[in-house]
Amino acid sequence: MEENQENQERQEQDLQSITELGSSQIETKRGTIHVLTIVGQIEGHQVLPPNSKSTKYEHVMPLLAMVEESDKIDGLLVLLNTVGGDIEAGLGIAELIASMTKPTVSLVLGGGHSIGVPLAVSAKRSFIAPSAAMTIHPVRLNGLVIGVPQTFYYFERIQERILQFVTANSGVKRETFTKLMLQTGELAADVGSVIYGEEAVELGLIDQIGGLSDALECLHSLIDRRREEQKTDP
């Protein structure tokens, strides 16, 4: 009776995590995987309207710290379908994922646009669905813009941070990524490029074409490899 009640409470907690945080936990004989979904718009310091689908960075950051420190979790799977959002919040999440010691795999489904690009490459291995798209464009700012040289210098520095992060965590060349970012004539009323699954892999931005089963199999392989290394490490 007590065991059934515990199982029911655990299922309710899992359901609450999926509903509120967009995350869940998969437990199998091969290991325990935490699944994190980053969808809609990444919310930063500004609260988005309630009718907007968003991922809140204040939820994701402590969750990633928990995954890294938990003895019960073996790896992290990040499912991405985002239009982008707050630059600093997105980069902060990406930096956390990139600094994790546990195996991490990302899968771009639908879209990994704008600041979603650093998030996609932050994992140790990245996958993209053949039909998924990624929009690469220069930094943009909403609201009041002060027309002084310092503003443009600030834009330049943020853009450089994104460039450094993406090139450090993927196989894309700096010149190629810069060219895609500044390309004209492809986006309506904007500067930048849209690339799809196979092209993202050819450019070295994403590691591999694949779906959910491919991403999970890769993550389990990384988990197995880490266990072997831990056994041989004195």
Side-chain angles (χ1 to χ4, degrees), residues 7-47:
N7 289 334
Q8 188 176 354
E9 287 176 357
R10 190 183 303 167
Q11 287 174 1
E12 287 175 358
Q13 287 175 356
D14 291 343
L15 184 61
Q16 188 177 5
S17 295
I18 295 170
T19 305
E20 294 182 2
L21 305 178
S23 65
S24 63
Q25 212 153 282
I26 303 170
E27 296 180 19
T28 65
K29 292 179 181 178
R30 297 187 67 180
T32 301
I33 293 171
H34 191 93
V35 182
L36 172 66
T37 56
I38 297 177
V39 296
Q41 194 167 343
I42 298 160
E43 187 179 275
H45 307 304
Q46 299 285 333
V47 178

Side-chain angles (χ1 to χ4, degrees), residues 168-181:
N169 290 278
S170 72
V172 70
K173 294 181 180 177
R174 182 186 175 90
E175 299 77 17
T176 304
F177 193 75
T178 304
K179 183 180 177 182
L180 290 168
M181 188 182 284

Side-chain angles (χ1 to χ4, degrees), residues 105-120:
V105 170
S106 65
L107 172 58
V108 180
L109 298 159
H113 304 293
S114 191
I115 202 63
V117 176
L119 286 164

Side-chain angles (χ1 to χ4, degrees), residues 30-33 73-78 97 100-107 120-127 207-208 213-231:
R30 297 187 67 180
T32 301
I33 293 171
I73 299 173
D74 300 302
L76 175 71
L77 174 65
V78 182
I97 296 171
M100 293 176 72
T101 59
K102 286 189 177 176
T104 55
V105 170
S106 65
L107 172 58
V121 304
S122 63
K124 291 177 175 58
R125 190 77 181 170
S126 58
F127 288 78
D207 294 320
Q208 196 173 328
S213 60
D214 302 300
L216 284 170
E217 183 58 38
C218 176
L219 186 52
H220 280 301
S221 298
L222 291 174
I223 290 169
D224 292 341
R225 189 185 307 167
R226 186 169 187 258
R227 284 173 180 162
E228 290 299 320
E229 289 173 355
Q230 287 175 337
K231 285 179 183 177

Side-chain angles (χ1 to χ4, degrees), residues 182-200:
L182 302 177
Q183 189 164 297
T184 58
E186 186 165 334
L187 299 180
D190 203 352
V191 177
S193 308
V194 180
I195 59 174
Y196 293 89
E198 291 183 5
E199 189 180 0

